PDB file of all heavy atoms in Angstrom:
ATOM      1  N   ASN W   1       1.079 -15.937  69.487  1.00  0.00           N
ATOM      2  CA  ASN W   1       1.651 -16.116  70.821  1.00  0.00           C
ATOM      3  C   ASN W   1       2.824 -17.087  70.825  1.00  0.00           C
ATOM      4  O   ASN W   1       3.807 -16.865  71.498  1.00  0.00           O
ATOM      5  CB  ASN W   1       0.540 -16.607  71.799  1.00  0.00           C
ATOM      6  CG  ASN W   1      -0.480 -15.546  72.066  1.00  0.00           C
ATOM      7  OD1 ASN W   1      -0.240 -14.353  71.877  1.00  0.00           O
ATOM      8  ND2 ASN W   1      -1.655 -15.977  72.496  1.00  0.00           N
ATOM      9  N   VAL W   2       2.721 -18.170  70.058  1.00  0.00           N
ATOM     10  CA  VAL W   2       3.796 -19.176  69.986  1.00  0.00           C
ATOM     11  C   VAL W   2       4.998 -18.513  69.300  1.00  0.00           C
ATOM     12  O   VAL W   2       6.147 -18.725  69.706  1.00  0.00           O
ATOM     13  CB  VAL W   2       3.339 -20.412  69.249  1.00  0.00           C
ATOM     14  CG1 VAL W   2       4.527 -21.333  68.972  1.00  0.00           C
ATOM     15  CG2 VAL W   2       2.319 -21.158  70.082  1.00  0.00           C
ATOM     16  N   LYS W   3       4.783 -17.743  68.227  1.00  0.00           N
ATOM     17  CA  LYS W   3       5.872 -17.053  67.534  1.00  0.00           C
ATOM     18  C   LYS W   3       6.611 -16.094  68.501  1.00  0.00           C
ATOM     19  O   LYS W   3       7.837 -16.026  68.479  1.00  0.00           O
ATOM     20  CB  LYS W   3       5.381 -16.242  66.340  1.00  0.00           C
ATOM     21  CG  LYS W   3       5.033 -17.086  65.154  1.00  0.00           C
ATOM     22  CD  LYS W   3       4.597 -16.162  64.011  1.00  0.00           C
ATOM     23  CE  LYS W   3       4.355 -16.893  62.750  1.00  0.00           C
ATOM     24  NZ  LYS W   3       3.984 -15.977  61.644  1.00  0.00           N
ATOM     25  N   ARG W   4       5.875 -15.419  69.334  1.00  0.00           N
ATOM     26  CA  ARG W   4       6.483 -14.498  70.288  1.00  0.00           C
ATOM     27  C   ARG W   4       7.310 -15.228  71.306  1.00  0.00           C
ATOM     28  O   ARG W   4       8.383 -14.776  71.698  1.00  0.00           O
ATOM     29  CB  ARG W   4       5.418 -13.639  70.957  1.00  0.00           C
ATOM     30  CG  ARG W   4       4.851 -12.589  70.044  1.00  0.00           C
ATOM     31  CD  ARG W   4       3.829 -11.749  70.713  1.00  0.00           C
ATOM     32  NE  ARG W   4       3.361 -10.681  69.798  1.00  0.00           N
ATOM     33  CZ  ARG W   4       2.358  -9.893  70.054  1.00  0.00           C
ATOM     34  NH1 ARG W   4       1.739  -9.954  71.230  1.00  0.00           N
ATOM     35  NH2 ARG W   4       2.005  -8.982  69.192  1.00  0.00           N
ATOM     36  N   GLU W   5       6.801 -16.378  71.764  1.00  0.00           N
ATOM     37  CA  GLU W   5       7.558 -17.142  72.740  1.00  0.00           C
ATOM     38  C   GLU W   5       8.823 -17.706  72.134  1.00  0.00           C
ATOM     39  O   GLU W   5       9.869 -17.756  72.757  1.00  0.00           O
ATOM     40  CB  GLU W   5       6.709 -18.259  73.364  1.00  0.00           C
ATOM     41  CG  GLU W   5       7.401 -18.879  74.519  1.00  0.00           C
ATOM     42  CD  GLU W   5       6.513 -19.719  75.430  1.00  0.00           C
ATOM     43  OE1 GLU W   5       5.281 -19.681  75.232  1.00  0.00           O
ATOM     44  OE2 GLU W   5       7.054 -20.396  76.289  1.00  0.00           O
ATOM     45  N   ILE W   6       8.750 -18.118  70.838  1.00  0.00           N
ATOM     46  CA  ILE W   6       9.957 -18.575  70.128  1.00  0.00           C
ATOM     47  C   ILE W   6      10.976 -17.471  70.101  1.00  0.00           C
ATOM     48  O   ILE W   6      12.161 -17.694  70.331  1.00  0.00           O
ATOM     49  CB  ILE W   6       9.595 -19.070  68.725  1.00  0.00           C
ATOM     50  CG1 ILE W   6       8.821 -20.400  68.794  1.00  0.00           C
ATOM     51  CG2 ILE W   6      10.843 -19.224  67.856  1.00  0.00           C
ATOM     52  CD1 ILE W   6       8.260 -20.857  67.449  1.00  0.00           C
ATOM     53  N   ALA W   7      10.512 -16.256  69.799  1.00  0.00           N
ATOM     54  CA  ALA W   7      11.462 -15.124  69.762  1.00  0.00           C
ATOM     55  C   ALA W   7      12.070 -14.847  71.131  1.00  0.00           C
ATOM     56  O   ALA W   7      13.268 -14.584  71.199  1.00  0.00           O
ATOM     57  CB  ALA W   7      10.713 -13.887  69.281  1.00  0.00           C
ATOM     58  N   ARG W   8      11.303 -15.001  72.185  1.00  0.00           N
ATOM     59  CA  ARG W   8      11.852 -14.803  73.551  1.00  0.00           C
ATOM     60  C   ARG W   8      12.931 -15.827  73.854  1.00  0.00           C
ATOM     61  O   ARG W   8      13.982 -15.466  74.387  1.00  0.00           O
ATOM     62  CB  ARG W   8      10.724 -14.889  74.578  1.00  0.00           C
ATOM     63  CG  ARG W   8       9.804 -13.714  74.636  1.00  0.00           C
ATOM     64  CD  ARG W   8       8.801 -13.857  75.761  1.00  0.00           C
ATOM     65  NE  ARG W   8       7.745 -12.876  75.628  1.00  0.00           N
ATOM     66  CZ  ARG W   8       6.498 -13.186  75.258  1.00  0.00           C
ATOM     67  NH1 ARG W   8       6.140 -14.429  75.036  1.00  0.00           N
ATOM     68  NH2 ARG W   8       5.615 -12.219  75.126  1.00  0.00           N
ATOM     69  N   VAL W   9      12.642 -17.084  73.526  1.00  0.00           N
ATOM     70  CA  VAL W   9      13.596 -18.149  73.787  1.00  0.00           C
ATOM     71  C   VAL W   9      14.875 -17.931  72.981  1.00  0.00           C
ATOM     72  O   VAL W   9      15.995 -18.037  73.506  1.00  0.00           O
ATOM     73  CB  VAL W   9      12.991 -19.528  73.516  1.00  0.00           C
ATOM     74  CG1 VAL W   9      14.046 -20.613  73.571  1.00  0.00           C
ATOM     75  CG2 VAL W   9      11.879 -19.805  74.498  1.00  0.00           C
ATOM     76  N   LYS W  10      14.741 -17.573  71.706  1.00  0.00           N
ATOM     77  CA  LYS W  10      15.918 -17.335  70.866  1.00  0.00           C
ATOM     78  C   LYS W  10      16.741 -16.148  71.404  1.00  0.00           C
ATOM     79  O   LYS W  10      17.955 -16.169  71.347  1.00  0.00           O
ATOM     80  CB  LYS W  10      15.501 -17.080  69.414  1.00  0.00           C
ATOM     81  CG  LYS W  10      15.092 -18.319  68.684  1.00  0.00           C
ATOM     82  CD  LYS W  10      14.792 -18.010  67.222  1.00  0.00           C
ATOM     83  CE  LYS W  10      14.533 -19.274  66.429  1.00  0.00           C
ATOM     84  NZ  LYS W  10      14.283 -18.971  65.006  1.00  0.00           N
ATOM     85  N   THR W  11      16.064 -15.125  71.903  1.00  0.00           N
ATOM     86  CA  THR W  11      16.749 -13.972  72.441  1.00  0.00           C
ATOM     87  C   THR W  11      17.565 -14.368  73.658  1.00  0.00           C
ATOM     88  O   THR W  11      18.731 -13.961  73.781  1.00  0.00           O
ATOM     89  CB  THR W  11      15.731 -12.880  72.817  1.00  0.00           C
ATOM     90  OG1 THR W  11      15.042 -12.489  71.628  1.00  0.00           O
ATOM     91  CG2 THR W  11      16.415 -11.665  73.424  1.00  0.00           C
ATOM     92  N   VAL W  12      16.988 -15.162  74.550  1.00  0.00           N
ATOM     93  CA  VAL W  12      17.706 -15.574  75.757  1.00  0.00           C
ATOM     94  C   VAL W  12      18.888 -16.484  75.388  1.00  0.00           C
ATOM     95  O   VAL W  12      19.976 -16.368  75.966  1.00  0.00           O
ATOM     96  CB  VAL W  12      16.744 -16.266  76.771  1.00  0.00           C
ATOM     97  CG1 VAL W  12      17.517 -16.870  77.927  1.00  0.00           C
ATOM     98  CG2 VAL W  12      15.733 -15.249  77.240  1.00  0.00           C
ATOM     99  N   ILE W  13      18.674 -17.344  74.416  1.00  0.00           N
ATOM    100  CA  ILE W  13      19.774 -18.224  73.967  1.00  0.00           C
ATOM    101  C   ILE W  13      20.949 -17.367  73.454  1.00  0.00           C
ATOM    102  O   ILE W  13      22.099 -17.597  73.796  1.00  0.00           O
ATOM    103  CB  ILE W  13      19.312 -19.209  72.854  1.00  0.00           C
ATOM    104  CG1 ILE W  13      18.411 -20.258  73.461  1.00  0.00           C
ATOM    105  CG2 ILE W  13      20.499 -19.835  72.149  1.00  0.00           C
ATOM    106  CD1 ILE W  13      17.714 -21.147  72.421  1.00  0.00           C
ATOM    107  N   ARG W  14      20.616 -16.357  72.687  1.00  0.00           N
ATOM    108  CA  ARG W  14      21.681 -15.486  72.127  1.00  0.00           C
ATOM    109  C   ARG W  14      22.335 -14.667  73.245  1.00  0.00           C
ATOM    110  O   ARG W  14      23.563 -14.505  73.233  1.00  0.00           O
ATOM    111  CB  ARG W  14      21.051 -14.515  71.084  1.00  0.00           C
ATOM    112  CG  ARG W  14      22.049 -13.616  70.432  1.00  0.00           C
ATOM    113  CD  ARG W  14      23.025 -14.403  69.578  1.00  0.00           C
ATOM    114  NE  ARG W  14      23.955 -13.472  69.010  1.00  0.00           N
ATOM    115  CZ  ARG W  14      25.248 -13.683  68.865  1.00  0.00           C
ATOM    116  NH1 ARG W  14      25.760 -14.856  69.199  1.00  0.00           N
ATOM    117  NH2 ARG W  14      26.036 -12.778  68.335  1.00  0.00           N
ATOM    118  N   GLU W  15      21.573 -14.209  74.192  1.00  0.00           N
ATOM    119  CA  GLU W  15      22.176 -13.452  75.331  1.00  0.00           C
ATOM    120  C   GLU W  15      23.138 -14.327  76.102  1.00  0.00           C
ATOM    121  O   GLU W  15      24.224 -13.857  76.485  1.00  0.00           O
ATOM    122  CB  GLU W  15      21.054 -12.986  76.290  1.00  0.00           C
ATOM    123  CG  GLU W  15      20.262 -11.806  75.766  1.00  0.00           C
ATOM    124  CD  GLU W  15      19.114 -11.454  76.679  1.00  0.00           C
ATOM    125  OE1 GLU W  15      18.826 -12.198  77.663  1.00  0.00           O
ATOM    126  OE2 GLU W  15      18.460 -10.419  76.425  1.00  0.00           O
ATOM    127  N   LYS W  16      22.805 -15.591  76.289  1.00  0.00           N
ATOM    128  CA  LYS W  16      23.676 -16.510  77.009  1.00  0.00           C
ATOM    129  C   LYS W  16      24.953 -16.789  76.174  1.00  0.00           C
ATOM    130  O   LYS W  16      26.024 -16.907  76.740  1.00  0.00           O
ATOM    131  CB  LYS W  16      22.952 -17.786  77.324  1.00  0.00           C
ATOM    132  CG  LYS W  16      21.953 -17.612  78.432  1.00  0.00           C
ATOM    133  CD  LYS W  16      21.357 -18.933  78.878  1.00  0.00           C
ATOM    134  CE  LYS W  16      20.338 -18.642  79.978  1.00  0.00           C
ATOM    135  NZ  LYS W  16      20.412 -19.550  81.081  1.00  0.00           N
ATOM    136  N   GLN W  17      24.836 -16.896  74.858  1.00  0.00           N
ATOM    137  CA  GLN W  17      25.976 -17.097  74.007  1.00  0.00           C
ATOM    138  C   GLN W  17      26.922 -15.904  74.108  1.00  0.00           C
ATOM    139  O   GLN W  17      28.160 -16.074  74.184  1.00  0.00           O
ATOM    140  CB  GLN W  17      25.571 -17.274  72.548  1.00  0.00           C
ATOM    141  CG  GLN W  17      24.940 -18.619  72.228  1.00  0.00           C
ATOM    142  CD  GLN W  17      24.423 -18.693  70.812  1.00  0.00           C
ATOM    143  OE1 GLN W  17      24.308 -17.665  70.115  1.00  0.00           O
ATOM    144  NE2 GLN W  17      24.089 -19.885  70.371  1.00  0.00           N
ATOM    145  N   ILE W  18      26.404 -14.736  74.089  1.00  0.00           N
ATOM    146  CA  ILE W  18      27.213 -13.499  74.168  1.00  0.00           C
ATOM    147  C   ILE W  18      27.875 -13.430  75.539  1.00  0.00           C
ATOM    148  O   ILE W  18      29.058 -13.085  75.633  1.00  0.00           O
ATOM    149  CB  ILE W  18      26.370 -12.256  73.884  1.00  0.00           C
ATOM    150  CG1 ILE W  18      25.961 -12.222  72.407  1.00  0.00           C
ATOM    151  CG2 ILE W  18      27.123 -10.985  74.251  1.00  0.00           C
ATOM    152  CD1 ILE W  18      24.972 -11.145  72.071  1.00  0.00           C
ATOM    153  N   ALA W  19      27.155 -13.801  76.594  1.00  0.00           N
ATOM    154  CA  ALA W  19      27.725 -13.751  77.940  1.00  0.00           C
ATOM    155  C   ALA W  19      28.864 -14.767  78.086  1.00  0.00           C
ATOM    156  O   ALA W  19      29.872 -14.496  78.772  1.00  0.00           O
ATOM    157  CB  ALA W  19      26.643 -14.051  78.970  1.00  0.00           C
ATOM    158  N   GLU W  20      28.747 -15.907  77.440  1.00  0.00           N
ATOM    159  CA  GLU W  20      29.775 -16.917  77.522  1.00  0.00           C
ATOM    160  C   GLU W  20      31.066 -16.530  76.815  1.00  0.00           C
ATOM    161  O   GLU W  20      32.170 -16.873  77.221  1.00  0.00           O
ATOM    162  CB  GLU W  20      29.291 -18.261  76.930  1.00  0.00           C
ATOM    163  CG  GLU W  20      28.264 -18.946  77.798  1.00  0.00           C
ATOM    164  CD  GLU W  20      27.645 -20.177  77.090  1.00  0.00           C
ATOM    165  OE1 GLU W  20      28.038 -20.470  75.970  1.00  0.00           O
ATOM    166  OE2 GLU W  20      26.752 -20.791  77.707  1.00  0.00           O
ATOM    167  N   THR W  21      30.930 -15.749  75.759  1.00  0.00           N
ATOM    168  CA  THR W  21      32.111 -15.326  74.995  1.00  0.00           C
ATOM    169  C   THR W  21      32.676 -14.011  75.501  1.00  0.00           C
ATOM    170  O   THR W  21      33.621 -13.498  74.936  1.00  0.00           O
ATOM    171  CB  THR W  21      31.775 -15.194  73.491  1.00  0.00           C
ATOM    172  OG1 THR W  21      30.753 -14.207  73.309  1.00  0.00           O
ATOM    173  CG2 THR W  21      31.331 -16.489  72.904  1.00  0.00           C
ATOM    174  N   GLY W  22      32.098 -13.485  76.543  1.00  0.00           N
ATOM    175  CA  GLY W  22      32.621 -12.269  77.118  1.00  0.00           C
ATOM    176  C   GLY W  22      32.232 -10.998  76.342  1.00  0.00           C
ATOM    177  O   GLY W  22      32.916 -10.004  76.355  1.00  0.00           O
ATOM    178  N   GLY W  23      31.137 -11.077  75.602  1.00  0.00           N
ATOM    179  CA  GLY W  23      30.676  -9.913  74.837  1.00  0.00           C
ATOM    180  C   GLY W  23      31.193  -9.839  73.443  1.00  0.00           C
ATOM    181  O   GLY W  23      30.807  -8.980  72.684  1.00  0.00           O
ATOM    182  N   LYS W  24      32.056 -10.755  73.067  1.00  0.00           N
ATOM    183  CA  LYS W  24      32.594 -10.769  71.719  1.00  0.00           C
ATOM    184  C   LYS W  24      31.769 -11.768  70.924  1.00  0.00           C
ATOM    185  O   LYS W  24      31.739 -12.932  71.206  1.00  0.00           O
ATOM    186  CB  LYS W  24      34.068 -11.175  71.709  1.00  0.00           C
ATOM    187  CG  LYS W  24      34.905 -10.192  72.458  1.00  0.00           C
ATOM    188  CD  LYS W  24      36.325 -10.614  72.459  1.00  0.00           C
ATOM    189  CE  LYS W  24      37.170  -9.632  73.287  1.00  0.00           C
ATOM    190  NZ  LYS W  24      38.539 -10.084  73.476  1.00  0.00           N
TER     191      LYS W  24
END
């Protein structure tokens, strides 16, 4: 369960990084 939550958090962090760079 903790591993899955880590993956969720990392996914959201990455989505925010992509959104900040405009998809690049």
Side-chain angles (χ1 to χ4, degrees):
N1 292 338
V2 171
K3 283 183 176 182
R4 287 181 178 173
E5 190 163 352
I6 289 172
R8 286 184 193 109
V9 170
K10 284 184 174 182
T11 300
V12 172
I13 289 171
R14 183 66 181 141
E15 286 174 352
K16 288 187 181 222
Q17 287 174 345
I18 291 172
E20 288 173 2
T21 60
K24 298 179 183 173

